[in-house]
Amino acid sequence: MSVLLWGLTTLVAAFVVQVIFVRWLRPQNHAAVIVAVFGTFSAVALILFVSLASGDGAGTSWWADTARLALLLGSLSLAYIAVYSAIEDDSPSMAMVKMAWQAGESGCVEEDFRAVMDDRLFLDQRIEAMKRDGWIVQSADEIVLTPLGRLWGTIFRRAQLLLRMDEGG
């Protein structure tokens, strides 16, 4: 129970600080703010957890609890980053939900979506977001991953291999 409490408290505190940063400082790179805030809060929480748990005479179970806390913080932080990205950049699904919500009770028909949704629009948004976040550089005719982009690509590819997603979603 203490692992869950530590994890949720840490994530709520990180979320509040991240919202304050984004609302007041209006940074260009929201992803960097999220990674910095959630990473810092997670590191501090883990250090505090270890220092408090290892000194209470609980034996070696604090190592297992620390691993559980790190896994909880890491997985929920990464999930939040993915959701934030979808909301921030209007993923196709989020754009469709937004359109249907704005239409209200009358709803939308499929042609409404087709009239507004253009694959090029979403591609352009993703390219701009990746440039803004420092994942890619673009010349006249090619896009190249930066070292940060290669790091994220490695993480995503290893996650795909781990989850046996070689052939796609």
Side-chain angles (χ1 to χ4, degrees):
M1 183 64 170
S2 69
V3 169
L4 182 61
L5 184 62
W6 270 86
L8 293 179
T9 301
T10 301
L11 293 172
V12 167
F15 174 75
V16 169
V17 169
Q18 181 255 327
V19 168
I20 290 170
F21 277 8
V22 169
R23 301 278 288 178
W24 285 339
L25 299 179
R26 301 194 186 277
Q28 286 280 39
N29 189 340
H30 290 208
V33 170
I34 292 172
V35 170
V37 169
F38 278 73
T40 301
F41 271 73
S42 295
V44 169
L46 286 167
I47 291 167
L48 288 173
F49 186 80
V50 166
S51 66
L52 294 173
S54 64
D56 69 3
T60 58
S61 67
W62 65 272
W63 279 104
D65 285 344
T66 303
R68 287 184 195 101
L69 179 59
L71 184 60
L72 176 67
L73 292 172
S75 59
L76 291 180
S77 294
L78 290 173
Y80 175 68
I81 290 169
V83 169
Y84 187 90
S85 176
I87 293 169
E88 178 185 40
D89 293 323
D90 271 346
S91 72
S93 298
M94 288 302 299
M96 292 172 73
V97 168
K98 184 177 169 183
M99 277 182 63
W101 181 79
Q102 288 173 335
E105 294 295 321
S106 62
C108 295
V109 294
E110 189 173 330
E111 288 77 32
D112 293 339
F113 291 125
R114 292 191 188 284
V116 174
M117 306 204 42
D118 176 10
D119 288 343
R120 183 77 184 156
L121 170 72
F122 294 110
L123 179 61
D124 291 345
Q125 286 179 344
R126 289 307 323 145
I127 289 172
E128 287 307 311
M130 292 173 76
K131 285 195 303 192
R132 180 189 67 229
D133 292 342
W135 290 22
I136 62 171
V137 290
Q138 184 179 20
S139 65
D141 59 345
E142 69 181 9
I143 294 174
V144 179
L145 288 173
T146 64
L148 179 61
R150 281 192 295 279
L151 172 66
W152 280 109
T154 300
I155 291 168
F156 293 151
R157 183 63 186 139
R158 288 191 179 157
Q160 284 179 322
L161 293 173
L162 177 69
L163 299 172
R164 296 183 182 192
M165 298 170 65
D166 296 347
E167 290 82 39

